[in-house]
Amino acid sequence: MGKEAFNLREMTSDDVDAAVAIDKKCFGKRDAWRRKYFLAAVMNINSAYLVAEVEGKVVACAGAKIRNEEAEIETFAVDPDYHGLGIGTQLFSKLIDTIKERGAAFVYLEVRPGNTPAIKLYEHFGFRALVNIENYYSNGDALVMMRDL
Ligand SMILES: CC(C)(COP(=O)(O)OP(=O)(O)OC[C@H]1O[C@@H](n2cnc3c(N)ncnc32)[C@H](O)[C@@H]1OP(=O)(O)O)[C@@H](O)C(=O)NCCC(=O)NCCS
């Protein structure tokens, strides 16, 4: 199986270490989610967390918290060694389907305004910029993007 063949499935607590490592590779040690946040998310029945794996290795993670009609995408990252293979698009598509199935009416997320690959992907899925929040991150603003489901 090559890099381009991947499998999507629900995230379990066994995947947390891999998810933390991918987050660190993507966002740096300071901004990466800590282990306890991933673990809490996986245990939370109001969360939907998915991973992509290639040859049994977890290479991407995406997750959302769902509260009644509202869903927030909390994390989305693909191991940089596996970018540009369509994994992000397929994983994000499955996450949106899962959120819809769970009954949310709209979904939103925060992204750095300079993160063009991610913003392009979100626009492709029908997300639109709602508002810019100054100093949302420790070192910059966040763009809030939203779409109805
Ligand atoms: C955003 C991200 C999840 C996309 O994942 P991905 O698996 O590379 O996405 P895909 O392969 O499905 O490609 C999505 C788009 O990005 C482009 N792309 C992204 N990285 C690329 C790369 N290294 N090489 C080629 N194309 C790339 C693709 O061409 C595609 O655009 P298109 O639909 O116009 O062709 C990934 O870049 C990532 O993990 N970034 C770091 C973490 C991050 O910023 N997460 C979002 C936080 S809000």
Side-chain angles (χ1 to χ4, degrees), residues 22-23 25-27 59-61 73-80 82-92 109-112 115-122 124-125 137 143:
I22 294 165
D23 234 45
K25 257 172 120 172
C26 285
F27 302 112
V59 300
C61 167
I73 295 181
E74 298 180 308
T75 187
F76 177 38
V78 177
D79 182 329
Y82 294 81
H83 282 182
L85 299 170
I87 295 175
T89 301
Q90 293 302 317
L91 182 62
F92 198 77
L109 54 82
E110 298 86 26
V111 58
R112 289 177 191 276
N115 191 346
T116 309
I119 291 173
K120 264 184 60 185
L121 191 151
Y122 300 147
H124 171 81
F125 279 92
Y137 299 110
L143 186 65

Side-chain angles (χ1 to χ4, degrees), residues 14-114:
D14 290 341
D15 302 316
V16 165
D17 289 337
V20 171
I22 294 165
D23 234 45
K24 277 188 185 153
K25 257 172 120 172
C26 285
F27 302 112
K29 207 174 169 186
R30 197 182 61 171
D31 289 339
W33 251 27
R34 285 197 246 150
R35 198 175 186 283
K36 64 178 180 184
Y37 294 127
F38 276 110
L39 207 51
V42 169
M43 300 304 197
N44 187 341
I45 54 160
N46 295 316
S47 292
Y49 270 67
L50 305 173
V51 295
E53 56 184 4
V54 172
E55 294 178 328
K57 178 188 173 197
V58 172
V59 300
C61 167
K65 186 162 60 191
I66 303 155
R67 308 176 208 89
N68 304 318
E69 293 206 313
E70 171 187 322
E72 177 183 5
I73 295 181
E74 298 180 308
T75 187
F76 177 38
V78 177
D79 182 329
D81 293 343
Y82 294 81
H83 282 182
L85 299 170
I87 295 175
T89 301
Q90 293 302 317
L91 182 62
F92 198 77
S93 177
K94 191 170 166 91
L95 181 63
I96 296 291
D97 287 349
T98 306
I99 291 169
K100 261 194 220 172
E101 280 163 19
R102 299 269 290 266
F106 68 94
V107 53
Y108 69 95
L109 54 82
E110 298 86 26
V111 58
R112 289 177 191 276

Side-chain angles (χ1 to χ4, degrees), residues 5 7 24 28 40 115 126 141 144:
N7 173 44
K24 277 188 185 153
N115 191 346
D141 298 353
V144 179

